[in-house]
Amino acid sequence: MEPQKFSWRARGRSFTYAFAGLRHFFKYGHNAQIHGVVAAVAVLLAFVLHFSPMEFVVLVLVIGLVWMAELFNTVIEKIMNHLSPAMHPEVKVIKDLAAAAVLVTAVVAVIAGVVLFGGKVMEMVRNSYQL
């Protein structure tokens, strides 16, 4: 089988498929919707609190990591549900591990958020007492 030649049209279609996946993720993924609201609030607060470019980059990275973990978790759940519609102990372990990855990523994001936003709040408190 001969490898396919590069095609801009094919690259464009791959973006179409990716955006279709994101639409499905946010339309049907309840956790994705929660993460989306939290992310929007965090980004809005970052603007209000005048995050530095580096602080903003860290915030965007942790938001992206949580969404990536949730996307992979969703993929693993859908694959396992397709391959094994009946309850199976090993499928449960696989799905629990995928959910644990999301949990770990979310905890890391919360810690990063506490450091980022806590630092800004402490800075505001210090500045208010210096007036």
Side-chain angles (χ1 to χ4, degrees):
M1 185 171 174
E2 196 172 312
Q4 291 182 335
K5 293 181 181 178
F6 180 82
S7 161
W8 284 107
R9 183 171 289 148
R11 295 309 99 224
R13 276 195 305 271
S14 68
F15 279 98
T16 302
Y17 302 142
F19 284 117
L22 283 175
R23 274 192 306 279
H24 185 275
F25 177 65
F26 284 108
K27 184 174 182 179
Y28 299 106
H30 298 136
N31 289 341
Q33 294 166 4
I34 293 167
H35 292 307
V37 169
V38 171
V41 169
V43 169
L44 181 65
L45 282 174
F47 280 112
V48 169
L49 294 173
H50 305 290
F51 270 30
S52 71
M54 189 55 68
E55 290 167 329
F56 195 76
V57 165
V58 170
L59 179 65
V60 169
L61 284 174
V62 296
I63 288 170
L65 288 173
V66 171
W67 281 351
M68 283 175 41
E70 191 65 55
L71 279 161
F72 285 127
N73 178 53
T74 301
V75 167
I76 290 167
E77 284 184 358
K78 289 195 173 291
I79 289 170
M80 297 316 299
N81 290 343
H82 178 75
L83 294 177
S84 180
M87 283 295 287
H88 188 281
E90 286 301 312
V91 169
K92 181 187 181 323
V93 170
I94 291 166
K95 290 167 74 172
D96 288 350
L97 289 168
V102 176
L103 178 62
V104 168
T105 309
V107 167
V108 168
V110 167
I111 292 168
V114 167
V115 170
L116 289 169
F117 289 102
K120 286 296 185 182
V121 169
M122 293 304 293
E123 183 181 313
M124 288 173 54
V125 168
R126 275 195 304 271
N127 289 340
S128 69
Y129 283 114
Q130 292 177 353
L131 295 177

